[in-house]
Amino acid sequence: MNQSKFLMKLVIFAIIMVVSTAWAFDFSEIEDKISEYDLDNGLTIIVLPRHDAPVVSFVTIVNTGCADDPKGATGIAHMYEHMAFKGTEEIGSKDLKKEEKWMAVEDSIFQLILEERSKGDLADSTKLAELGQKMAVATDSAFSYSETNEYGLIAKRNGGVGLNAGTTFDRTAYYISYPSNKLELWMAMESDRFYKPVLRELFKEKQVVAEERRYRVESMPIGRLVNEYLTLAYKSHPYGEPLIGEMSEIQNYSRPVMMEQFKKYYIPRNMAIGIVGDVDPQEVYRLAKKYFGRLEDKPKPMELMIDEQPPFGVRKSTIIEKSQPMCIFGYQIPTVNHPDWKALQALASYLGSGRTSVLYKNLVKDKKSAVEVEAFTGYPGSKYPSLFSLYCMPSNESSNSENEAEILAEIEKVKTEPIPEKDLEKIKARAKASLINGLASNAGLASQLATYQLVYGDWRMLFKELDKVNALTTEDIQRVAKTYLDPEKRFVTYIEKPEE
Amino acid sequence: MYRRISILGFLLIGIFCLTGLNSFAERTIDKIKYPPLHEIIPPQVDTLRLDNGIKLFLLEDHELPIVHARVRLAAGEFLNTPDKAGLAEICGTVMRTGGTARMTGDDIDEALESIGAAVEVNIGRTDGSASMNILSEYVDTGLEILADVLRTPQFNQDKIDLAKTSERTSISSRNDDAFDVCAREFRKIIYGKDGPYTLQTEYATVDDITRDDLIDFHDKWITPQNVMIAVWGDFDSDEMIAKLKKYFEDWAPGAEKVPMLPDVSYEFKPGVHYIEKDDVTQSTVLVGHIGGKTGDPDYFALTVANNVLGGSFGSRMFNEIRSKKGLAYSTGGNFSTTIAYPGIYYNYVVTKLETTVEAAKAILDEIRRMQTDPPTADELATAKESYLNSFVFNFDSKGEIINRMMNYDYFDFPQDFLMTVRENIQKVTADDVIDVARRRFHPDAMQIVVVGKADEFGEPLSDLGTVDTIDISIPSGETEEEVAINEETLAKGMELLKKAVKACGGADGFAKIKSTKSSATVKLNTPQGEFALETESIYVLPDKSKEIVTLPMGQMITVSTGDSGWMKQGNQIIDLSSDRIADSKKENFRNTLHLFKRIGSPDYQAVYVKTEEMNGKMTDIVKVISLDGKMSFKLGLDHETGLPVSQMYFGETMVGPGNLTQTYSDYRNVSGLKIPFAINIESDGNKIADIIIKDYKLNADIPADAFNKP
């Protein structure tokens, strides 16, 4: 008996060994081709030559996001991202001097408007109306001297594609791809937008952002639910503020506040650039020194030190409205740099990622008590302590509280018995597929390299991802469930229909 | 020496001021000298043909351990007939979801998801595809599933039903987006309705698609001679060929090759078409006519001409219509081509309602100007540069390259076509542009389609030409049961109706009714669960009604007064849309009280249909039809007593239009008339609502301003 048990263990061990080595992929071929350049002013540029086609993708990531927004100006990081397409001193103007003159007029009138607004209920509405009219004149005059959209037009004329940008709480990213002989054009335009930006058309663009807010946050129930959830989970830390900003604060954005934010965070030490495509790294370095070398070296701003305290109990908020009931609840977890991060990601994947996950199979397919269910980490950000979140939409046979109880029961199971080995293998396989697919496109890879450089201080960590995933054991997953998922310390938000 | 230099300097500055279009000295970016672009070296793709006719395209790429495959299916909706529109699309969907000989659809989902892989199938209008994306170590699993969904799909009925439900939802929302509506109707005008390129799915066509239809379509058209396979990624070509042979070579060839895409016969003539959409603040305008084929000799000049005219940033339409006149944010155009059949030449603008006609005229002006004003050197350069400079992105992914190659091969189209485009575009001159604009743009024979709200147009649409109004209302798919209308059935129908009137209190009593006022509890059964609402209703015969529903966030008031109406919720008051008003009229027509009141001089026909058992009782069915034939419903009358026990009609349910049945019970006496106090509404066996009347008054005092808009 002992012998056969021993043989079984050997067989299982052999299978696991075979399977484990299959997970490994040798990234050293790609890694060895990558060059890293650190300019004197602290800017890091990571370059991977890929000569399949004469194209190149550029991704610039700045280590600032909406978590850095000053109080009273939530969403300003996102607003700045919009502004970054408005051009520079050389691009985007018909007559810079006249434009700047009218922009200065705009700024001084707006300052008066802000002062009057700040009086709250004592504000003089007649005065505000007059100032509003003067403002409109100034804005129209300034606009008449702007060469609107010139930045984008130049990019397009020169074969640029995929001109885009995105802001999260943690970071802001700028993307574009060019035919590879336009390398210097990108260098000149991209460095210029961080060297001498001109925040033209600010007051017009604010209305565009206001519309975006109406669409994303205000008119969709899920937008309201998420807003409420984050507010509950973060009462001190800015992760609890809306990414796009509060409507009133959007209306109050001013150039001086934006420029202050820009000067503090858009500095070379706080950025990383990924360049992947048909380029010669030495040429990239030469041009980077010439153009990006102009950016002033300033000290890297400190990260926030706002510790969100653990809740004393279960914080709950219910939104009553006549729409589809839904629920989001979650727990505090550490940052992406914490050793437990990978195990927490794996736990979320096991519980609720896709149609083969445990919660989906139990609640949606078998019991039909939920129509949708998901588990995820990293929202709203991961630079600062994050959340392990569960989302569900109950079916009409069930309810938010029933789903919540079912999900909690599944979590308790993970704490008491380790998850099956084969499920861990599936998680590892999915992680591998996902990582590898993410490296396929030039733009995707450029983005990953720059991101990892900022998040870990080392782009090479991208290629160590799989090792970290492979090292996970079922014990790790059980342990993090016990450590972080305390049912007595949670944040819960519901959308419920009104009582009959 | 010093002075000469300074004079020279002065002169140079002077020259800059004269020639400079902007007040800058040369900008940094203008000083850059670009090296020539590296040559585009398309990768080497291996091809071979299997014995059963399948052509393979292979491209190795070992940078990452992934394998992609795409199977080109020659089959498309164009092979279908209008009465079964949607067949090809649903066939494609269910090939993937409906299971195979080896695995159920759900098992396939599980197997793929657990390894982060994907296999999808999709069939569109002119062709289809099956794709695979998988880590190279699992390639055998992927290829097996890919082969199975193509070769042995089981078309499980529950997945067919799911696909049909999804299709019905698409149909019901196809008029939601103005641009979609405009584009769709424009296509129909150019290619002809119900043609191979414009087959439109309807509820009726979806209902008519059977499992056998799907199997037949698959067996006939998803066959080796109609399939091509491209594989690219991390594999060894010899090994991959062996695998592809293993999974595909013994697939027996079918009987027929998919025919070539049919030609289009087009007549150039002008037309102005209007589609009313009353929930918009902007009009969507499309102006154009037939386009051309990709192999057309004019292709190069047309591409440049199109870029000058409507190719986004810096084009004439962009500058004039958007920047200068401020008429639109969204405007542009395209002389679109396809390889096998002509594309569509279109120009579009989305503008506020008031400036609809002005914007359409502006488009026509710009098209005419293309025929008279040659492009300036700057315009020509911009138009060519945008194309030429981003040309290289046609080659930036191996998938794009191999799939294009496969597609060109299918049509026997020259493989080096793109390279000739580049050379030929470079050669296009301003004269070529004017010449092609004169020959190929026909501003006097443009089809114009406008989606908007005509009563807010600043100028009348008829300024552009005789207007044809297109009705986009979605056909209900209602099947008309054959009802014999003759002297006998008419006489019997009316007799039964009169019996019902008598059973409910008599014609005199009904003739005296001027108004009704009631309150009720409505228990609605929705997908989200059951919930109860309180309602109050006022009805002043013949056609004024007011309904007040109490919701948690306040009241919702709906008033209908014949040809108009309004709705109020919170502080918002909106006019009822024409669709809602039409529904209201139908509701009014079905009102039994109203029906009975008119029994003396009926403006409807009552036709006896049959007598059958319903809910355990013998029931006489009478069909009531409006004199113009446009509205009808059926009444179920108790065979013994004559009391109305049910009403059957076609109307809106939670999942789109359907057959509804109301059943009446708990009859009580109100001022000498019998009124049902319990009404149950269901559709196809599913309960929709229960109405329990709490209070009911006839001829109560109703204030004169009860229906006025607040």
Side-chain angles (χ1 to χ4, degrees):
Chain A
M1 277 248 269
N2 281 348
Q3 255 185 333
S4 60
K5 261 198 193 163
F6 179 68
L7 271 168
M8 254 339 270
K9 280 199 182 149
L10 208 59
V11 167
I12 292 170
F13 182 67
I15 293 173
I16 291 175
M17 276 305 291
V18 166
V19 155
S20 297
T21 50
W23 301 142
F25 173 71
D26 187 9
F27 290 108
S28 60
E29 248 194 75
I30 301 180
E31 256 186 274
D32 291 344
K33 292 188 196 150
I34 296 177
S35 307
E36 177 186 333
Y37 301 105
D38 299 306
L39 301 186
D40 290 340
N41 57 15
L43 177 64
T44 304
I45 302 175
I46 305 139
V47 186
L48 169 63
R50 251 183 184 168
H51 300 288
D52 295 345
V55 294
V56 53
S57 291
F58 303 91
V59 182
T60 305
I61 306 190
V62 188
N63 187 32
T64 185
C66 289
D68 297 317
D69 293 336
K71 217 155 175 57
T74 52
I76 210 164
H78 166 251
M79 182 83 225
Y80 191 84
E81 177 228 300
H82 276 241
M83 289 283 99
F85 290 87
K86 298 294 183 185
T88 64
E89 288 185 1
E90 290 189 344
I91 297 170
S93 184
K94 290 185 180 130
D95 186 333
L96 185 67
K97 282 208 167 27
K98 294 213 175 89
E99 206 188 1
E100 282 182 331
K101 177 191 142 207
W102 280 107
M103 280 165 52
V105 171
E106 271 185 312
D107 289 340
S108 30
I109 298 175
F110 195 66
Q111 190 54 34
L112 295 173
I113 290 177
L114 285 176
E115 279 167 21
E116 197 61 36
R117 273 188 196 162
S118 73
K119 293 178 188 166
D121 288 339
L122 293 174
D124 181 347
S125 54
T126 318
K127 187 171 178 191
L128 277 172
E130 280 168 22
L131 286 170
Q133 283 175 340
K134 288 194 184 139
M135 189 69 189
V137 170
T139 302
D140 287 341
S141 309
F143 186 67
S144 69
Y145 292 109
S146 85
E147 194 66 69
T148 201
N149 290 322
E150 193 181 16
Y151 193 88
L153 174 56
I154 292 173
K156 189 171 185 293
R157 253 189 85 153
N158 284 280
V161 303
L163 180 63
N164 207 348
T167 317
T168 65
F169 279 100
D170 296 341
R171 279 171 287 281
T172 309
Y174 299 91
Y175 312 87
I176 190 163
S177 299
Y178 273 110
S180 50
N181 65 335
K182 295 291 161 78
L183 172 63
E184 191 168 354
L185 177 68
W186 176 82
M187 288 280 176
M189 285 179 73
E190 189 80 347
S191 62
D192 230 31
R193 107 212 276 203
F194 303 129
Y195 180 54
K196 290 200 173 140
V198 174
L199 304 184
R200 52 177 59 92
E201 297 172 34
L202 171 64
F203 298 97
K204 280 183 183 288
E205 194 68 17
K206 275 201 231 179
Q207 300 320 317
V208 175
V209 171
E211 277 306 307
E212 202 183 332
R213 186 196 146 95
R214 280 181 199 109
Y215 172 69
R216 285 188 202 283
V217 175
E218 296 175 1
S219 44
M220 294 196 268
I222 186 81
R224 296 192 279 277
L225 183 68
V226 167
N227 207 312
E228 198 71 0
Y229 173 60
L230 293 180
T231 309
L232 263 191
Y234 291 102
K235 67 175 191 55
S236 321
H237 191 280
Y239 273 175
E241 301 288 356
L243 193 93
I244 201 160
E246 298 292 357
M247 190 57 99
S248 54
E249 295 177 27
I250 292 172
Q251 299 302 339
N252 288 340
Y253 293 154
S254 68
R255 272 193 201 99
V257 171
M258 293 198 77
M259 279 314 285
E260 207 184 298
Q261 198 70 358
F262 168 77
K263 283 182 185 146
K264 184 173 176 192
Y265 291 102
Y266 274 69
I267 56 174
R269 258 172 221 290
N270 213 24
M271 293 185 208
I273 295 176
I275 300 179
V276 177
D278 176 36
V279 288
D280 167 16
Q282 281 305 310
E283 180 65 2
V284 169
Y285 184 39
R286 182 184 75 79
L287 290 169
K289 278 189 286 190
K290 174 178 175 189
Y291 288 99
F292 283 92
R294 300 177 297 167
L295 301 181
E296 198 189 328
D297 185 5
K298 282 191 237 174
K300 198 170 136 106
M302 279 199 317
E303 306 290 20
L304 296 173
M305 283 192 296
I306 300 174
D307 278 346
E308 187 68 32
Q309 295 307 306
F312 286 122
V314 179
R315 272 184 213 158
K316 189 164 163 178
S317 166
T318 307
I319 302 173
I320 304 216
E321 59 176 57
K322 203 181 136 207
S323 47
Q324 185 69 14
M326 304 184 234
C327 162
I328 300 183
F329 72 89
Y331 312 77
Q332 286 179 332
I333 58 173
T335 73
V336 67
N337 288 314
H338 192 280
D340 286 337
W341 184 260
K342 279 266 137 337
L344 284 162
Q345 265 189 325
L347 176 58
S349 185
Y350 168 74
L351 280 173
S353 173
R355 287 174 289 186
T356 55
S357 64
V358 147
L359 288 173
Y360 189 91
K361 281 204 271 200
N362 290 352
L363 273 67
V364 179
K365 277 175 74 171
D366 297 344
K367 288 188 222 163
K368 299 194 186 351
S369 58
V371 172
E372 286 172 23
V373 67
E374 271 179 51
F376 51 98
T377 55
Y379 187 78
S382 56
K383 190 197 280 188
Y384 299 104
S386 185
L387 295 170
F388 188 102
S389 311
L390 286 311
Y391 156 76
C392 63
M393 186 187 282
S395 66
N396 48 315
E397 278 87 42
S398 187
S399 69
N400 281 324
S401 54
E402 277 174 45
N403 279 178
E404 192 187 339
E406 286 164 338
I407 296 171
L408 288 171
E410 283 299 336
I411 293 174
E412 287 311 301
K413 270 195 214 157
V414 178
K415 291 183 195 177
T416 48
E417 353 159 334
I419 69 173
E421 275 296 337
K422 70 164 173 59
D423 285 327
L424 184 57
E425 283 156 31
K426 275 201 238 172
I427 290 168
K428 293 181 181 181
R430 281 212 299 270
K432 180 178 179 186
S434 175
L435 177 63
I436 287 172
N437 274 301
L439 304 178
S441 75
N442 285 349
L445 184 47
S447 179
Q448 298 273 55
L449 289 169
T451 304
Y452 273 75
Q453 179 66 26
L454 287 176
V455 171
Y456 296 99
D458 184 3
W459 55 268
R460 289 168 195 78
M461 295 303 288
L462 172 62
F463 303 109
K464 302 215 169 45
E465 274 293 302
L466 279 189
D467 294 340
K468 280 199 234 171
V469 172
N470 290 339
L472 287 174
T473 64
T474 56
E475 284 76 33
D476 289 327
I477 295 176
Q478 186 177 24
R479 179 181 54 77
V480 296
K482 284 195 229 175
T483 310
Y484 297 101
L485 307 191
D486 178 356
E488 302 308 323
K489 296 204 168 32
R490 288 180 294 139
F491 316 102
V492 184
T493 18
Y494 283 179
I495 288 183
E496 287 283 21
K497 289 180 320 222
E499 301 267 334
E500 292 184 18
Chain B
M1 235 166 34
Y2 198 77
R3 217 174 282 150
R4 261 170 60 215
I5 287 168
S6 63
I7 288 171
L8 202 56
F10 188 80
L11 285 173
L12 282 170
I13 291 168
I15 290 166
F16 272 126
C17 281
L18 286 171
T19 60
L21 290 168
N22 57 40
S23 44
F24 290 127
E26 205 185 17
R27 298 184 292 192
T28 313
I29 57 167
D30 300 322
K31 293 185 214 166
I32 301 175
K33 299 221 178 335
Y34 300 109
L37 188 62
H38 287 156
E39 213 190 317
I40 298 168
I41 304 171
Q44 185 63 27
V45 172
D46 294 327
T47 65
L48 79 139
R49 197 182 286 276
L50 298 181
D51 292 338
N52 57 7
I54 300 181
K55 189 158 178 181
L56 305 176
F57 298 77
L58 296 114
L59 175 55
E60 286 186 30
D61 177 11
H62 299 281
E63 193 183 16
L64 295 170
I66 321 177
V67 178
H68 306 268
R70 187 171 164 270
V71 181
R72 187 188 192 285
L73 306 171
E77 270 294 316
F78 77 95
L79 293 165
N80 203 1
T81 49
D83 60 324
K84 302 242 181 188
L87 171 55
E89 196 186 325
I90 292 176
C91 181
T93 306
V94 188
M95 276 168 66
R96 167 61 179 84
T97 58
T100 66
R102 246 185 282 253
M103 296 164 86
T104 68
D106 291 345
D107 286 343
I108 293 177
D109 288 345
E110 168 99 31
L112 292 172
E113 259 187 48
S114 65
I115 52 176
V119 169
E120 304 300 339
V121 181
N122 175 268
I123 301 181
R125 282 194 187 285
T126 57
D127 52 59
S129 68
S131 62
M132 177 190 81
N133 182 36
I134 198 162
L135 291 177
S136 36
E137 67 201 275
Y138 304 114
V139 76
D140 288 283
T141 308
L143 287 173
E144 185 177 89
I145 293 175
L146 182 66
D148 283 351
V149 299
L150 288 166
R151 296 177 60 170
T152 61
Q154 299 298 292
F155 294 107
N156 216 303
Q157 187 62 46
D158 63 346
K159 300 297 186 193
I160 297 176
D161 294 337
L162 205 61
K164 283 190 178 189
T165 304
S166 175
E167 189 64 44
R168 284 193 194 99
T169 311
S170 298
I171 293 170
S172 67
S173 60
R174 76 175 179 217
N175 289 337
D176 289 354
D177 182 275
F179 202 96
D180 287 345
V181 171
C182 200
R184 180 185 77 224
E185 296 304 319
F186 195 78
R187 271 182 74 91
K188 285 196 227 164
I189 287 164
I190 303 294
Y191 290 129
K193 270 178 73 159
D194 293 331
Y197 302 116
T198 50
L199 251 63
Q200 183 162 282
T201 53
E202 302 288 0
Y203 296 121
T205 68
V206 171
D207 283 344
D208 283 349
I209 295 169
T210 66
R211 183 167 177 272
D212 282 338
D213 290 332
L214 299 175
I215 293 173
D216 289 344
F217 188 89
H218 168 268
D219 290 349
K220 189 169 180 190
W221 301 122
I222 313 295
T223 55
Q225 64 267 57
N226 296 314
V227 149
M228 299 165 99
I229 307 179
V231 189
W232 66 104
D234 178 36
F235 54 82
D236 167 78
S237 291
D238 290 332
E239 281 175 29
M240 179 53 72
I241 290 171
K243 288 187 214 280
L244 291 170
K245 283 185 174 170
K246 173 179 164 193
Y247 292 111
F248 292 100
E249 196 154 47
D250 65 348
W251 189 2
E256 252 178 274
K257 206 159 173 9
V258 167
M260 258 305 144
L261 291 164
D263 232 326
V264 173
S265 73
Y266 183 78
E267 192 196 328
F268 279 95
K269 61 178 180 202
V272 180
H273 310 267
Y274 169 67
I275 296 161
E276 170 116 334
K277 199 169 188 332
D278 48 21
D279 59 351
V280 293
T281 53
Q282 293 178 308
S283 283
T284 306
V285 181
L286 273 171
V287 178
H289 50 59
I290 199 84
K293 289 194 194 175
T294 310
D296 195 312
D298 283 332
Y299 180 78
F300 318 110
L302 282 166
T303 302
V304 177
N306 182 63
N307 273 351
V308 172
L309 175 60
S312 84
F313 285 119
S315 69
R316 286 188 182 178
M317 280 179 65
F318 191 90
N319 287 339
E320 286 299 313
I321 296 174
R322 176 169 148 156
S323 307
K324 219 179 191 175
K325 293 185 178 152
L327 288 173
Y329 175 77
S330 179
T331 184
N334 191 18
F335 193 96
S336 82
T337 66
T338 83
I339 294 179
Y341 63 98
I344 299 180
Y345 174 52
Y346 63 90
N347 296 281
Y348 65 92
V349 66
V350 179
T351 186
K352 61 190 184 302
L353 294 170
E354 202 187 309
T355 46
T356 304
V357 177
E358 188 187 337
K361 285 181 181 167
I363 292 179
L364 291 165
D365 285 344
E366 286 312 312
I367 298 173
R368 289 198 178 93
R369 198 158 76 84
M370 279 303 295
Q371 299 179 324
T372 58
D373 295 1
T376 62
D378 216 32
E379 280 183 312
L380 194 63
T382 305
K384 285 188 189 180
E385 272 166 51
S386 316
Y387 180 93
L388 292 170
N389 282 329
S390 59
F391 177 81
V392 68
F393 286 99
N394 288 312
F395 298 89
D396 71 335
S397 97
K398 299 206 165 57
E400 191 183 349
I401 293 171
I402 200 174
N403 281 297
R404 184 170 49 231
M405 190 175 173
M406 188 162 71
N407 210 38
Y408 283 8
D409 187 285
Y410 180 76
F411 291 111
D412 273 325
F413 203 68
Q415 288 294 345
D416 67 346
F417 175 71
L418 277 184
M419 305 316 275
T420 69
V421 171
R422 191 165 57 156
E423 307 164 24
N424 285 307
I425 294 249
Q426 262 153 352
K427 292 185 203 160
V428 172
T429 64
D431 283 339
D432 292 333
V433 169
I434 280 267
D435 174 60
V436 85
R438 284 180 190 150
R439 285 186 297 106
R440 303 298 294 266
F441 295 167
H442 303 273
D444 296 326
M446 290 269 163
Q447 293 288 354
I448 301 174
V449 177
V450 175
V451 176
K453 219 158 113 177
D455 57 7
E456 290 188 37
F457 291 173
E459 298 156 71
L461 202 55
S462 49
D463 276 6
L464 299 170
T466 317
V467 180
D468 153 59
T469 304
I470 301 177
D471 176 10
I472 54 166
S473 47
I474 302 170
S476 63
E478 182 179 358
T479 40
E480 270 305 302
E481 210 187 289
E482 281 308 303
V483 172
I485 305 180
N486 53 52
E487 252 185 63
E488 216 184 290
T489 55
L490 282 168
K492 183 147 188 207
M494 194 50 80
E495 184 196 317
L496 287 166
L497 213 54
K498 286 187 176 155
K499 180 177 163 192
V501 173
K502 194 162 171 204
C504 289
D508 289 340
F510 282 100
K512 284 186 199 142
I513 301 179
K514 292 200 191 91
S515 71
T516 72
K517 186 171 176 189
S518 60
S519 64
T521 304
V522 178
K523 290 200 182 135
L524 275 178
N525 193 36
T526 73
Q528 288 78 33
E530 200 189 79
F531 59 105
L533 300 166
E534 299 303 312
T535 67
E536 279 168 51
S537 312
I538 302 173
Y539 176 44
V540 170
L541 284 74
D543 58 10
K544 287 206 182 70
S545 70
K546 181 175 191 173
E547 180 120 350
I548 304 172
V549 180
T550 305
L551 300 166
M553 63 281 287
Q555 288 186 335
M556 188 167 89
I557 305 174
T558 314
V559 163
S560 168
T561 50
D563 284 311
S564 62
W566 51 269
M567 197 160 88
K568 177 173 191 271
Q569 186 169 6
N571 288 328
Q572 267 211 315
I573 303 174
I574 56 171
D575 287 328
L576 291 184
S577 67
S578 39
D579 279 343
R580 268 294 254 124
I581 292 170
D583 282 341
S584 211
K585 283 188 179 165
K586 286 189 186 143
E587 263 175 59
N588 199 42
F589 183 69
R590 293 196 308 265
N591 186 310
T592 343
L593 233 66
H594 184 41
L595 194 77
F596 288 178
K597 182 171 174 171
R598 284 133 69 213
I599 195 83
S601 46
D603 53 350
Y604 49 81
Q605 289 180 315
V607 185
Y608 169 69
V609 180
K610 59 185 166 183
T611 303
E612 64 178 12
E613 194 175 300
M614 274 179 77
N615 297 328
K617 285 215 184 117
M618 289 310 282
T619 314
D620 296 315
I621 314 279
V622 173
K623 185 168 181 179
V624 180
I625 311 172
S626 64
L627 287 179
D628 65 5
K630 286 193 177 158
M631 296 188 282
S632 71
F633 65 97
K634 293 198 192 105
L635 263 181
L637 306 167
D638 186 296
H639 185 70
E640 281 180 48
T641 63
L643 274 180
V645 290
S646 61
Q647 191 184 98
M648 283 78 72
Y649 58 99
F650 199 84
E652 276 301 316
T653 70
M654 296 285 179
V655 290
N659 293 305
L660 293 131
T661 306
Q662 290 189 10
T663 3
Y664 307 118
S665 56
D666 191 12
Y667 271 94
R668 299 187 202 172
N669 194 311
V670 179
S671 310
L673 298 175
K674 286 218 177 83
I675 307 289
F677 270 55
I679 303 165
N680 166 274
I681 308 178
E682 56 131 62
S683 169
D684 293 325
N686 299 315
K687 184 159 114 165
I688 294 186
D690 271 316
I691 303 174
I692 296 158
I693 299 188
K694 298 187 297 195
D695 191 60
Y696 198 97
K697 284 195 185 72
L698 290 169
N699 294 342
D701 246 326
I702 298 189
D705 62 354
F707 302 100
N708 291 358
K709 236 193 239 189

